[in-house]
Amino acid sequence: MKIVSQNTAFGGMQGVFAHDSKACNAEMTFAVYVPPQAVTAARPVLWYLSGLTCTHANVMEKGEYRRMASELGLIIVCPDTSPRGGDVPDEVTNWQMGKGAGFYLDATEKPWAEHYQMYTYITEELPALIGEQFRIDPSRQGIFGHSMGGHGAMTMALKNPDRFKSCSAFAPIVAPSSADWSVGAFEKYLGADKTAWREYDACALVEDGARFPEFLIDQGKADSFLENGLRPWLFEDVVKGTGIGLTLRMHERYDHSYYFISTFMDDHLKWHAERLG
C-alpha cells in the first residue's frame, strides 16, 4: 500500500492510498478517513460505495462526512467504482459500462472477467488490507452508498448479514436486472442467463430468501433517474411480510446530485453509529 495523499481534517486524517489488487488485476485507489478516536482504540468502520462515473474522490470532496465521522468516531472507507489502467477493458462512449461502472459484481464474461471482480475486491481483498493497516473493529461494520453504490451496498449487506450490521442508501438501483441503465452492463458482465443476475439484485435476493434486519433509503422526488433506473417502491413492495425493516424517505425537490447526498449525510452517519455501537 502506498500513500497518495494525507490531510488533517476535524482532528482526524483523510488519506488516499493505492495498492496492487489481485482480485481486479490492476492498481486500485481508495480513500480512508480515520477519526481522532482511532489513535487509542479500534473504531467501527463504514464502507461508502460510489455511483456510476465516480471514483473515491466524489464523496471525499463533496460528501461532507468528516465532521460528523470525527464526532461519532467512525472510520470511513471509500473504494473506487471499478478497476482502472491501460490494460483494463472499457467502453469509452458508454458511461454505464466499463471504467467507473463496475456495478460491484464479479464479471464472468470476456473481456471483463479478468479485471472486473469488484464484489470480491470489496468484500474480501480490501477489507483484509484495511484490517492490517488501520485500527478497525471488524465486528462493527456498516455499508452504504449512492445509486450504483447503493445497489452494491444493499446486495452486499443481504449476502453478508454476519459481517455488516447496518446498511443504508442514497437513491439506490434496487432492481438492476430490469432497470434501463443497468441491463446492458449486466448482460455484458454476467452473460445472457438472467438467473446469474439475481445474485446482484437486491429485490431478487430478497425474493430468493436473503434477509437483513433493516435498511434506510433516502430518495429525491426530483431525481431524473427515479422512474426508469431507481424505483425504490419495488424494494418497498418486496420486503413486505419478510421481517426486513425499511425506512424509505422521499424528499421533494431533491435530485440525484451530491447536493442531495451531503444534505442527508449526517442523518445516515448517525443512523449507522446507533447500530454499530
Side-chain angles (χ1 to χ4, degrees), residues 77-144:
V77 180
C78 308
D80 202 347
T81 52
S82 75
R84 312 261 177 187
D87 296 333
V88 175
D90 190 21
E91 291 188 2
V92 178
T93 60
N94 181 6
W95 62 277
Q96 298 170 338
M97 186 70 198
K99 295 178 184 177
F103 276 96
Y104 302 104
L105 51 74
D106 282 350
T108 56
E109 302 298 301
K110 294 181 178 180
W112 313 101
E114 183 179 354
H115 296 280
Y116 286 80
Q117 302 293 311
M118 289 300 294
Y119 180 83
T120 295
Y121 177 69
I122 299 294
T123 61
E124 297 181 17
E125 185 177 21
L126 188 56
L129 180 64
I130 295 295
E132 293 172 359
Q133 299 292 334
F134 298 92
R135 189 170 287 168
I136 69 167
D137 182 347
S139 69
R140 294 188 289 169
Q141 296 191 62
I143 190 166
F144 69 148

Side-chain angles (χ1 to χ4, degrees), residues 158-173:
L158 285 163
K159 295 173 72 170
N160 299 275
D162 294 334
R163 172 178 297 181
F164 298 111
K165 306 305 181 186
S166 58
C167 180
S168 70
F170 302 98
I173 308 171

Side-chain angles (χ1 to χ4, degrees), residues 8-115:
T8 300
F10 297 99
M13 185 274 291
Q14 176 65 71
V16 177
F17 308 92
H19 74 118
D20 291 328
S21 166
K22 292 182 179 178
C24 294
N25 193 22
E27 183 179 75
M28 298 293 288
T29 302
F30 61 95
V32 181
Y33 178 72
V34 180
Q37 297 91 330
V39 172
T40 56
R43 301 304 305 169
V45 59
L46 189 53
W47 298 80
Y48 179 89
L49 306 185
S50 291
L52 286 161
T53 75
C54 294
T55 70
H56 69 282
N58 294 75
V59 68
M60 187 180 76
E61 296 170 357
K62 306 175 194 175
E64 302 182 18
Y65 58 80
R66 279 172 288 270
R67 180 187 61 80
M68 185 55 64
S70 176
E71 180 178 322
L72 297 172
L74 294 172
I75 294 173
I76 311 291
V77 180
C78 308
D80 202 347
T81 52
S82 75
R84 312 261 177 187
D87 296 333
V88 175
D90 190 21
E91 291 188 2
V92 178
T93 60
N94 181 6
W95 62 277
Q96 298 170 338
M97 186 70 198
K99 295 178 184 177
F103 276 96
Y104 302 104
L105 51 74
D106 282 350
T108 56
E109 302 298 301
K110 294 181 178 180
W112 313 101
E114 183 179 354
H115 296 280

